[in-house]
Amino acid sequence: MSHQLPDVQATSPEVTVGLNRVGVTGVDKLVKIAREDDRPIVLTAEFEVFVDLPSWRKGADMSRNMEVIDETLEEATREEAYRVEDVCGDAAERLLEKHDYTSRAEVSMTAEFMRREHTPASDRETQHTVDVVASATATDEGTREEIGARVTGMTVCPCSQGMSVARAKQKLEDLDVEAEVITEFLDEIPQPGHSQRGHATLAIEADGAPDVDLNDVIDVARDSMSAHIYNLAKRPDEDHMTYEAHANAKFVEDCVRSMAEGVLEEFGHLPDDAVITMSQSNDESIHQHNAHAERVVEMGTLRAEVNGED
């Protein structure tokens, strides 16, 4: 004779306070992303799953959350989803449907993505690493999904470079070099500036799913810094990267503004209420601290600012 186990989670709590996010973190799953005319990309993704909890309920059904996320992600793996953000959206909607006390469900994931490319000077095949971030929030009003990427690159400080330019100019003048020659030389040969490894993050959120390609998101974020960096670099590649970065020196603020410009050029079709998250963090080489800048803005506001509209 079996006995029914008590559902302690459904009882009332001693302190009747509602909670915004209750759930699980650190859930690892394999996810296949389909590609046209090519093999699917297999990602090892880490998920976080949350629902809101009303004040009258003691706990969320953790086993049910795990059941839903397992069911959803296993299905996504078998069927080769086309967008990572859709995997999150599907799971969030299932959570909302299966929890009658829940009004909001959130699913987010991160995964390491490898892209093939060629080195800039020696043209050797190599790969670079991208952190993919995706999330979705489902409510009775609908689902919003977000897709984004964190990439690394190189930046050079315009301030320290400016001091090097002034020093070089003074020395050339002391050597009686003609002013026109000095100007031409400094235009052609970028002067030293302290460099740093930069970390750019770009994410786009919209109702339903953002109409963007993950590769384009990666490219816009990567292009916002002074130069790309590569896992493999022969001497000609190192020379190329060094020259390119110093010829395109940028403050941390400049990187975010370049990213904003790239968003408008690449994703101008997005609706005004799409939310754009842009951030840049630089690992400073001559300071113990790091530099950071960011902006979270709706697409309509971003358009108006860049176009100089009130």
Side-chain angles (χ1 to χ4, degrees), residues 9-51:
Q9 290 94 338
T11 61
S12 297
E14 294 179 10
V15 181
T16 54
V17 173
L19 304 175
N20 296 110
R21 304 170 87 218
V22 177
V24 294
T25 64
V27 182
D28 294 328
K29 286 291 177 183
L30 283 180
V31 176
K32 285 184 181 178
I33 304 302
R35 293 184 294 175
E36 292 184 6
D37 304 322
D38 207 342
R39 290 179 300 174
I41 299 169
V42 180
L43 302 174
T44 301
E46 182 175 308
F47 286 85
E48 293 185 346
V49 178
F50 299 106
V51 296

Side-chain angles (χ1 to χ4, degrees), residues 94-114:
R94 287 169 180 263
L95 280 168
L96 195 65
E97 181 182 335
K98 289 208 171 189
H99 293 77
D100 54 8
Y101 57 82
T102 291
S103 61
R104 178 185 178 91
E106 301 175 40
V107 176
S108 62
M109 61 151 278
T110 58
E112 193 172 79
F113 175 39
M114 302 293 290

Side-chain angles (χ1 to χ4, degrees), residues 295-308:
R295 181 70 189 279
V296 179
V297 62
E298 288 191 342
M299 191 68 176
T301 303
L302 186 62
R303 281 196 188 96
E305 286 188 15
V306 174
N307 294 331

Side-chain angles (χ1 to χ4, degrees), residues 32 80 105 125 130 202 212 238 241 253 257 285 295 302:
K32 285 184 181 178
E80 298 182 3
E125 187 172 0
V130 175
L202 173 61
V212 300
E238 292 176 352
M241 284 185 280
E253 299 93 336
R257 288 170 173 144
S285 58
R295 181 70 189 279
L302 186 62

Side-chain angles (χ1 to χ4, degrees), residues 166-184:
R167 183 182 299 108
K169 185 174 184 292
Q170 183 61 57
K171 183 61 179 178
L172 291 169
E173 288 174 351
D174 293 345
L175 293 171
D176 295 328
V177 178
E178 294 180 3
E180 294 82 0
V181 176
I182 293 175
T183 300
E184 183 179 353

Side-chain angles (χ1 to χ4, degrees), residues 176-197:
D176 295 328
V177 178
E178 294 180 3
E180 294 82 0
V181 176
I182 293 175
T183 300
E184 183 179 353
F185 174 79
L186 293 176
D187 286 345
E188 292 292 328
I189 307 298
Q191 296 304 294
H194 78 83
S195 63
Q196 47 267 315
R197 181 176 293 180

